[in-house]
Each structure stands twice: as structure tokens, then as C-alpha cells.
Amino acid sequence: DNFGKWLSVVILVITAGFFALGYYVYDYPIDELFLAVIGLAVASIPEGLPAIMTITLAIGVQRMAARNAIIRKLPSVETLGSVTVICSDKTGTLTKNEMTARTVITPDKSYEVEGTGYKPEGDILTGGNKVDPEKESGLKKLIETVYLCNEAEINKSEEGVWHLKGDPTEGSLVALAMKSGLSMDGFERLDTIPFESDHKFMATLNRKNGDNPVIYLKGAPERILEMCSAEAGSDGKKVDEEKWLKVIESVAAKGQRVIAAAYRETDSGKTTVSMDDITNDFTFLGIIGMIDPPRPEAIKAIEDCQNAGIRVKMITGDHAITASAIGKELGIATEGKTITGNELEKMSDEEMVQVARENDIFARTSPEHKLRLVRALQANKQVVAMTGDGVNDAPALKRADVGVAMGIKGTEVTKDAADMVLADDNFASIANAVEEGRTIYDNLRKAILFILPTNGAEALVIMVALLLGLAAMPITPAQILWVNMVTAVTLALALSFEPTERGVMKRKPRDPGSPILGGYFLWRILFVSVIIGGMALLVFDYMKDNGYDLELARTMAVNILVAGQAFYLYNCRHMRDPALSYGFFDNKVALVALAALLVLQMVFVYAPFMNLWFGTMAVPAVYWLYATAAGLVVFILVEIEKVVYNQFFDA
């Protein structure tokens, strides 16, 4: 938008200035001057640029979709190239989301669980020996509780593959119950309090075969411990909270996610359960530790992001020690310490600005913490991408510079608030989207860097003709429109298909406030405009002075402009690297575009109806060698300019 505004202002100022110059200084007749200034305006305006920019964005969005990043809002493509911080959920995004119960600890024993994933195969061991859960009362009660206080299902498909329906954490507990072989027949669920991040637990009211109903509870260990007054199997022994917290930390330090379980018997007539029933007189049953291994591709993607100057911050509801252990495996825990949601609650907005800047792992967080973290990072002048899946994540995604919703487990509300949706819920897709965003922005700049010298060369020809007081313009407005059309429709469009340049993910993020064309690009545009426009003007002037037909001289001027742009296309494919350094034939569309341009230009020169419409004239075949030589001059001079700039000016 800023680029378009500045370009419009510059063109208006130039045309108005030359109109005044021609009228007051050179005393041109008003009708001739008006036509000349119209020609200058037509030459200066890149008519094809809006279409090329839109097409480039659309092609980039298609490429992103092929890499599982679905763009909902087109401007976010530009923002992706500027992202400096990615705040990501852990479960399912950075990890495989294939929870497996590994450790079970009751008040009197510790157990290890074999098997992986949701396949209910594997033994439960203690001290290396297989146990029968039916004979282990504490283990039996704990497994019963986490199975009954659960919404997940595990089913075997016809192909013999086990599939989860529900939350992965709950699925791992169902798999544990199935591995135990315990019978869960006869239990009837009467009521439920669903899990919510605010209270960090789930509760159900169940009854078995007419017995008194029992409230089963599972959730965050520190929250469950607060509600327990006794330990199971200890004849009313008070819970040693300090001891259990140390046990929980030791399990979490292995990178395992920890949940706890408890129960309380109720009156026989009770049929509903409410928050008022969740008091502090529950019996603590123990904890279960589950692993969710990191995605190998996420580890690589995080490394790529860090090489690209992008900090990755993990925001999770897990225990702080679990989060820290997983963070180290992922390569995130490089700075600061793990900050908990409770710590964030006590901080002012000013304190959070510093904490958000210095730390990369945030544990036991809520959706409200995500929103505060986005604001704090933006206060640090960061461009933030934030992931989310729940309804409550929508405000944080809306506030972020790029909101990223999960396509598989994300809610419709979250997707509506997001700028981008991940089809596979994988962090690597975010890194891929950033890479594509940088590529798209590069291709936009290449298209502009290619198109503007065409207009610059045409404008230069008109301006010099006005200043020299030439009786006839070297090119007519209709011919200018032709050059603009064929170079934009064919050559510039080819740059939309450029592959990613080498080292694109080793650059620092682009400053979002920086202009799309910096000082060097403005120099390049002027440099190429002078070369192409100068050669077209010299050829026209030579032919006119030596008695050639005006139509032939103009046709050659147009051919010089088109040939110069055709060769300059390959200069633009690599903005700083030599054109012949790598990937010269990677963009097949560019070769097709050159072929299409040659056909169009032949029609322009030799078709009688085109000669009539555009005032052109058929040229001898040898004259194409002159146009080709002019194009080669452009190519060689720009390549020399690249080398000189890289050697002496690009520190």
C-alpha cells in the first residue's frame, strides 16, 4: 500500500513538472504537449503491477496450501516474512500427540508400563516383574478412576489399526486400563464436570451395581493435591503434599506429562455433581506419567527458525519441569527459565514485557496468559505468530500479527479468528509457511524490480525527447502500452513462479516498516532504466538522422526495450547472486514466457494489422541481432553491477 501511494505521487509530480517545463520553457503547442505528457504518464505507470502482485500472492498461497498451511487472509502472507517470534502450543504441534502412559505411582508402589501409542498391548511391571492389577488394590482403584473419569474411546479398525476418538491424554489412560485387563462392567455414570483450563480437573459421578455413588477426579497434580485430605491405603493418613510434589517433579523431569487422581464416596441418593461437591476431603490415589515424544521434523523446523533469526516460544498447560525437559529436547530452552502461569498472574504488564523478552518456555498457562504474552511481545517491537486451538484462544490469535489455528483439533471459532490454518497441526508447517512467506515477498520485489525499469526506460525516452525538443516521439503511447502489456503478462508473471532462493531461512526477519524498495533497489531501477532507455533512444536517433522511416526507427526502439527486458529477467531471478550461479533452468515458466514473448513480438513487427494499429514496420531479419546484442549488454552490465555492489558496498 505504501509503495503504491509513493509511486503514484512520484508519477504525478514528474508528469506535472514536464508539462510545466514544456509549456513555459520550451513553448510546445498545447495539443502536442498534452499528447507527450499522456505518453509520459502511460510510460511511467506500471499497469500490470496490481495483477502481477495479486497473481504472485495467489500462487504463493497455493504453494503454502500444498505444505499444509492454509492462508485465510492474503495480507498475512507479507507479514509472515517479517515474523520474529513464534509462540506455539506443545501437544500435537511440537510433539506427536501420541500420549502413552509410562509411569504409575500409588502411595505404596511404583509401576512401569510397556507399549507405545494407543495399541492396548504391554505389561504393567514393578521392580521388573509383571503384576496383576486385580491383586494390587491401589493400582486397581487408580486405573478405575482415570478410566471412568474419561471421555475418550479407543477402537480397532477393520485393518487392525487402533484409533483414538477424543483427547490424546485421556486416550493414553483408556489404553492403560485396557492393558490392565480390569473389568469396568457395572459402572453407571450419573453426572460430569468437564475439564476446563480454569479449574484444571475433570470430575464424574459414577455408581456400580447399586452401591453408593462415587465422585472420581483427575487433573493437574497440584490442583488435585489441594483437594485431598488423605492417601489411599493409609487408613486416613494425611497427604504428604511436599513428598508428592517431589515425586511429581522427578517424573516430570523425564519429560513426562503428569496427572493425578482422587475419589470420594457420597450419599446413596446423590445423582448430580457440581463445583460445590469438589471440596478438600478427597482421597489421593496417585499419579500417572505419560510421554508425548517430540516431532523430529519440529526439532529441525525450530533450528531453521532460530537460524532465520526467529525465536520460538513454547506455551503449554503442562507442569513446568515437564515443559522444561521437552523444551530442551526440542532445542527451545536456550535462554531464561521456565515461567509458570501463577508467576504471570502476579506480574504487571511492564514486568511481563521483560519476562516475555527474556524467556522462551511458559508452563501451566491459560488462554488469558497467551493474550498478555502477545501484547508483551508486541510491546517489545516483535512481530508475533501465535498458535491456538480452543475457543478461548481466539482473542490471542486475533491480537497476534499472524494468528495460526489448528486444522485438526481447532474449533471453528479459532479458525475464524486466525490468519492461517495448519491442516496437519504441525509446527514444521509454520516454519514452512514462514519460508514461503519470505519467498513470496522476494518474488514480489523481483517483479517490481523487473517491471519498474521497463517503465523507467520508456519514461526516460519520452523525457529526453521532450528536453531535446524532438519533433517526433521515439515511441508512441500505444507502443508503450504494448511493451508494458507483453513484459508484464509474460516475463513479469514468470517471476511469480520463482523457487525459494538459497539461504532464505538464514536471513534475519525483515523489518515490517521497511520500504519494499530500499536505496539499492532504487539505484538498480535507475541504472537499468538508463541502460535500456539510453540504447533505445540512441538507436532511434541514429536511424532517424540517417533517413530511415519513422515507423522503422520506432519499431527498433520498441524491440530494444523488449529485448533489454527479456535479458534483464534473468538478472532479476537472483537479486544479489550471479544469474548463472545456480538454478538457471529451474523456472520452466520463465522459458515458456520468453518463447511467448518472442511470438508476440514477431506478430507485433510483421502482422499487417499490428503495423496499422501500432504504427510499426517489418524489419529485416539482421536487425534482430542488434536487439539481441542490446539485451546482452543489459545482462552483462547488470551482472557486473551485482559483483561490484557485493564486493564493495554490501558489508
Side-chain angles (χ1 to χ4, degrees):
D1 290 343
N2 289 333
F3 170 72
K5 290 173 186 175
W6 278 109
L7 187 62
S8 302
V9 169
V10 169
I11 291 170
L12 287 172
V13 169
I14 289 173
T15 52
F18 269 86
F19 184 87
L21 188 67
Y23 187 77
Y24 291 108
V25 177
Y26 290 95
D27 199 27
Y28 271 100
I30 192 70
D31 55 340
E32 291 183 19
L33 181 61
F34 184 74
L35 287 174
V37 170
I38 289 294
L40 177 59
V42 171
S44 303
I45 296 170
E47 295 89 348
L49 188 57
I52 293 300
M53 294 183 78
T54 304
I55 291 168
T56 301
L57 287 170
I59 291 169
V61 165
Q62 282 187 318
R63 292 204 311 213
M64 285 186 176
R67 301 180 76 176
N68 296 312
I70 300 166
I71 299 296
R72 296 188 64 254
K73 299 173 184 176
L74 207 56
S76 63
V77 174
E78 180 181 343
T79 312
L80 277 167
S82 302
V83 166
T84 59
V85 175
I86 301 175
C87 298
S88 175
D89 291 323
K90 178 184 74 68
T91 305
T93 308
L94 294 170
T95 58
K96 291 183 176 181
N97 206 17
E98 296 176 358
M99 303 293 288
T100 304
R102 272 278 179 265
T103 304
V104 180
I105 301 178
T106 64
D108 56 350
K109 278 187 184 179
S110 295
Y111 303 87
E112 298 83 41
V113 185
E114 295 181 330
T116 57
Y118 303 116
K119 190 175 183 180
E121 295 180 4
D123 295 329
I124 300 176
L125 313 172
T126 183
N129 299 314
K130 181 180 176 181
V131 300
D132 180 2
E134 192 69 52
K135 299 177 181 178
E136 305 276 330
S137 58
L139 177 62
K140 179 182 179 181
K141 191 68 175 180
L142 175 58
I143 292 175
E144 279 183 355
T145 299
V146 296
Y147 179 82
L148 296 171
C149 188
N150 204 309
E151 299 287 0
E153 296 179 13
I154 296 177
N155 299 299
K156 192 175 184 179
S157 67
E158 294 179 358
E159 295 78 22
V161 179
W162 291 88
H163 294 284
L164 166 68
K165 181 181 178 182
D167 179 75
T169 299
E170 294 196 331
S172 70
L173 300 176
V174 173
L176 171 64
M178 294 173 75
K179 289 175 185 178
S180 72
L182 294 172
S183 173
M184 301 295 174
D185 296 336
F187 284 97
E188 174 191 7
R189 180 180 292 187
L190 304 176
D191 201 9
T192 306
I193 298 177
F195 177 87
E196 289 185 13
S197 56
D198 288 341
H199 52 247
K200 294 185 175 65
F201 67 81
M202 174 184 177
T204 61
L205 181 67
N206 295 73
R207 179 170 51 203
K208 182 177 182 181
N209 299 328
D211 295 340
N212 285 351
V214 177
I215 299 175
Y216 294 105
L217 199 66
K218 81 171 193 310
E222 57 270 31
R223 186 75 177 91
I224 302 299
L225 282 168
E226 290 174 1
M227 297 182 283
C228 293
S229 57
E231 291 183 359
S234 60
D235 297 325
K237 178 183 175 183
K238 188 177 179 180
V239 175
D240 187 345
E241 190 170 334
E242 185 176 339
K243 180 200 79 171
W244 278 106
L245 288 175
K246 289 180 180 178
V247 172
I248 291 164
E249 288 180 3
S250 67
V251 175
K254 301 175 185 177
Q256 296 185 18
R257 186 175 190 177
V258 185
I259 70 156
Y263 79 101
R264 179 170 71 84
E265 294 184 358
T266 63
D267 298 333
S268 59
K270 192 167 186 62
T271 57
T272 61
V273 62
S274 67
M275 294 299 291
D276 293 335
D277 297 311
I278 310 303
T279 56
N280 59 355
D281 55 351
F282 278 79
T283 299
F284 189 76
L285 292 169
I287 63 171
I288 297 174
M290 295 155 284
I291 61 165
D292 183 12
R295 292 178 182 260
E297 65 272 24
I299 296 173
K300 176 65 168 59
I302 289 168
E303 183 182 357
D304 290 343
C305 287
Q306 290 168 343
N307 290 336
I310 302 169
R311 283 188 61 179
V312 179
K313 296 181 183 288
M314 185 173 77
I315 303 174
T316 178
D318 281 354
H319 191 280
I321 296 177
T322 303
S324 181
I326 294 292
K328 287 178 181 176
E329 286 189 59
L330 290 164
I332 293 176
T334 55
E335 296 184 30
K337 62 176 185 176
T338 301
I339 305 296
T340 65
N342 286 336
E343 291 175 292
L344 294 177
E345 293 282 356
K346 300 171 185 176
M347 292 179 190
S348 65
D349 289 342
E350 291 75 19
E351 290 173 320
M352 188 172 272
V353 168
Q354 181 177 349
V355 167
R357 181 174 63 249
E358 295 176 352
N359 301 280
D360 292 335
I361 301 178
F362 299 86
R364 289 287 188 241
T365 55
S366 67
E368 291 76 16
H369 297 144
K370 283 188 174 184
L371 180 58
R372 288 190 68 196
L373 283 168
V374 170
R375 288 174 176 161
L377 289 165
Q378 289 173 334
N380 279 310
K381 309 297 183 186
Q382 303 295 317
V383 180
V384 184
M386 170 67 78
T387 69
D389 53 18
V391 172
N392 293 337
D393 289 335
L397 268 60
K398 198 81 173 175
R399 174 71 190 211
D401 298 282
V402 180
V404 183
M406 301 296 110
I408 298 174
K409 62 178 180 178
T411 62
E412 291 304 315
V413 173
T414 313
K415 294 175 188 176
D416 286 342
D419 302 291
M420 182 171 79
V421 177
L422 299 184
D424 58 354
D425 291 8
N426 191 341
F427 179 86
S429 296
I430 305 176
N432 292 339
V434 170
E435 182 182 48
E436 289 292 347
R438 292 186 174 192
T439 300
I440 292 166
Y441 192 76
D442 279 353
N443 289 350
L444 285 174
R445 297 180 81 194
K446 290 174 185 177
I448 293 170
L449 192 63
F450 172 77
I451 289 175
L452 291 189
T454 304
N455 301 101
E458 295 164 356
L460 184 67
V461 169
I462 300 295
M463 287 188 288
V464 171
L466 285 171
L467 291 173
L468 295 178
L470 297 182
M473 289 292 112
I475 49 177
T476 66
Q479 290 168 348
I480 291 169
L481 283 173
W482 170 261
V483 175
N484 288 351
M485 183 186 76
V486 295
T487 55
V489 170
T490 56
L491 301 184
L493 183 60
L495 291 170
S496 302
F497 295 88
E498 275 298 300
T500 302
E501 286 202 31
R502 289 180 183 176
V504 72
M505 287 299 280
K506 292 184 179 178
R507 304 181 202 156
K508 291 182 179 179
R510 177 182 59 84
D511 180 357
S514 63
I516 198 167
L517 296 180
Y520 170 66
F521 275 22
L522 292 175
W523 151 253
R524 169 75 73 79
I525 290 166
L526 178 62
F527 178 68
V528 177
S529 298
V530 169
I531 298 172
I532 298 177
M535 287 192 296
L537 198 59
L538 286 172
V539 168
F540 173 83
D541 193 52
Y542 173 82
M543 296 183 75
K544 193 75 180 67
D545 289 348
N546 286 276
Y548 289 88
D549 290 335
L550 177 62
E551 289 79 7
L552 183 61
R554 282 176 169 168
T555 303
M556 279 304 299
V558 171
N559 284 348
I560 295 291
L561 289 171
V562 172
Q565 285 296 107
F567 279 85
Y568 180 56
L569 172 71
Y570 275 84
N571 296 122
C572 289
R573 290 192 58 216
H574 301 310
M575 289 184 285
R576 298 285 178 82
D577 295 333
L580 302 176
S581 58
Y582 64 92
F584 190 81
F585 296 105
D586 284 355
N587 188 347
K588 302 297 189 293
V589 177
L591 298 174
V592 173
L594 285 172
L597 175 64
L598 181 60
V599 171
L600 288 170
Q601 199 61 22
M602 288 290 184
V603 172
F604 176 79
V605 172
Y606 294 110
F609 68 92
M610 297 294 277
N611 297 155
L612 177 64
W613 291 350
F614 288 96
T616 57
M617 185 175 179
V619 301
V622 71
Y623 282 27
W624 289 101
L625 293 177
Y626 304 146
T628 302
L632 276 171
V633 169
V634 174
F635 180 81
I636 292 168
L637 288 178
V638 174
E639 288 302 298
I640 292 172
E641 181 265 349
K642 283 185 187 179
V643 173
V644 171
Y645 180 83
N646 291 335
Q647 186 72 29
F648 297 103
F649 299 103
D650 192 13

